[in-house]
Amino acid sequence: MVGRRPDTSQILQAVGDLLMPRECIVCGQPLLKDERHLCIWCRSDLPQTFFHLQGRNAMADKFNLLVQRHIESGIGAVQDHGTPPEGQEPVPRYTPYVWAVALFFYRSKTGYRKITQSLKYHGNQSAGRFFARMLAERLKESPYLGETDAVVPVPLHWTRRWSRGYNQAEVIARELVRCGIGGTMVSDLLRRNRRTRTQTKLSVGQKADNVKGAFSVRRKTAERLVAGCGPGPLNVLLVDDVFTTGATLFACWKALKEWNPDVRVCIVTLGYVG
């Protein structure tokens, strides 16, 4: 029996693999024609978190600890309710538990760290979209992801975006929306007010100080979003590439809450440092 002739795309891929062999992001081995970004062995060993199947998980607990400390400080209560009458303590506003999910565990001593590094530092947007699709598949399986009105990527400062040419969080967010996660991507809801230092080599405390007050909500964009979504709380899916201490995502959460205390936020990333 004569086999089916390869189509043009298969021929072009074969020629491309000869001229510029594709390699596994993690281990560097040449990829077979049906493999994309990961070889079959590294894909099978991907350290998945399975947070999407858990109502509470380590990533979410770490983030909600930041929220709890913020509430207990009294800052959030005064902003939400105004200055309380003399002699009375501010009553913290009820804040729902923030659900958070990551695709895989990010560990600096394994090759899997290259997944987000290839997107963030080496321009590999194709890999970013590939792993965002994997994340979307997990989110679709989850019984905990509720209605989402807007998918919002953590913004870059314009100077960093200009030098890099793109925002890695936006690459992930756009692919999630394309896969049917959330209503629409709103890339300009949050503004990065100043260029912050890279978080990579900072301590936990330094990371929090570095991004304190770094984000704000663009009011006109927010007003258009609310008008288009109708009555009820706004549900935002906040997207970034990696969750380390949660400082950057918390600064975004805080900006959203200062704009509208009733906004509901969920968090998704590709990697989780834990």
Side-chain angles (χ1 to χ4, degrees):
M1 180 180 294
V2 179
R4 188 177 64 180
R5 296 177 61 186
D7 60 27
T8 304
S9 62
Q10 291 176 320
I11 295 173
L12 290 175
Q13 180 176 301
V15 172
D17 287 346
L18 285 174
L19 297 176
M20 188 177 295
R22 297 174 301 119
E23 297 179 348
C24 174
I25 286 177
V26 174
C27 70
Q29 292 297 313
L31 294 176
L32 301 177
K33 68 180 183 67
D34 293 328
E35 294 175 339
R36 297 291 182 275
H37 304 292
L38 289 178
C39 68
I40 189 173
W41 307 110
C42 289
R43 180 160 185 163
S44 65
D45 286 339
L46 180 69
Q48 298 186 62
T49 66
F50 294 101
F51 288 162
H52 65 289
L53 299 178
Q54 303 170 31
R56 295 188 62 168
N57 58 63
M59 177 176 166
D61 282 347
K62 184 182 287 188
F63 186 85
N64 282 277
L65 181 59
L66 298 176
V67 173
Q68 184 65 26
R69 288 172 177 169
H70 172 67
I71 292 173
E72 290 176 353
S73 73
I75 297 174
V78 171
Q79 288 175 337
D80 288 349
H81 290 289
T83 304
E86 186 175 353
Q88 293 186 20
E89 293 294 324
V91 179
R93 184 186 186 94
Y94 169 73
T95 300
Y97 183 83
V98 179
W99 190 61
V101 169
L103 175 63
F104 69 95
F105 287 103
Y106 179 106
R107 296 186 175 100
S108 60
K109 295 184 179 180
T110 72
Y112 290 97
R113 73 186 187 281
K114 299 175 185 177
I115 289 175
T116 53
Q117 290 178 351
S118 66
L119 167 62
K120 188 171 184 176
Y121 301 116
H122 304 299
N124 196 343
Q125 296 184 54
S126 176
R129 291 189 292 270
F130 175 81
F131 290 104
R133 289 193 292 274
M134 291 182 66
L135 177 59
E137 290 172 3
R138 307 302 181 272
L139 292 174
K140 288 179 180 179
E141 296 173 355
S142 176
Y144 300 105
L145 179 64
E147 180 181 352
T148 301
D149 299 309
V151 179
V152 178
V154 171
L156 288 178
H157 190 264
W158 72 266
T159 56
R160 185 160 281 136
R161 183 185 176 111
W162 179 81
S163 62
R164 188 172 296 168
Y166 61 94
N167 176 0
Q168 69 276 3
E170 193 172 315
V171 171
I172 300 166
R174 182 179 293 108
E175 194 64 21
L176 290 178
V177 171
R178 197 189 71 79
C179 292
I181 302 299
T184 183
M185 188 180 79
V186 187
S187 60
D188 59 343
L189 179 61
L190 288 169
R191 173 195 294 112
R192 198 152 193 150
N193 301 320
R194 54 186 172 81
R195 178 163 177 160
T196 55
R197 296 163 59 193
T198 180
Q199 299 276 78
T200 307
K201 296 182 179 180
L202 301 181
S203 67
V204 173
Q206 288 173 328
K207 287 178 179 178
D209 291 339
N210 188 42
V211 294
K212 187 176 182 180
F215 302 95
S216 61
V217 170
R218 297 179 188 270
R219 300 284 172 164
K220 290 185 178 179
T221 301
E223 289 169 3
R224 289 196 301 269
L225 179 61
V226 170
C229 291
L234 185 68
N235 298 286
V236 170
L237 190 67
L238 192 59
V239 180
D240 206 359
D241 56 338
V242 178
F243 183 110
T244 49
T245 65
T248 299
L249 287 158
F250 175 74
C252 292
W253 175 91
K254 187 169 177 288
L256 289 167
K257 283 289 187 178
E258 288 175 351
W259 159 65
N260 182 353
D262 293 322
V263 66
R264 296 175 181 173
V265 180
C266 292
I267 293 167
V268 296
T269 63
L270 292 184
Y272 167 66
V273 180

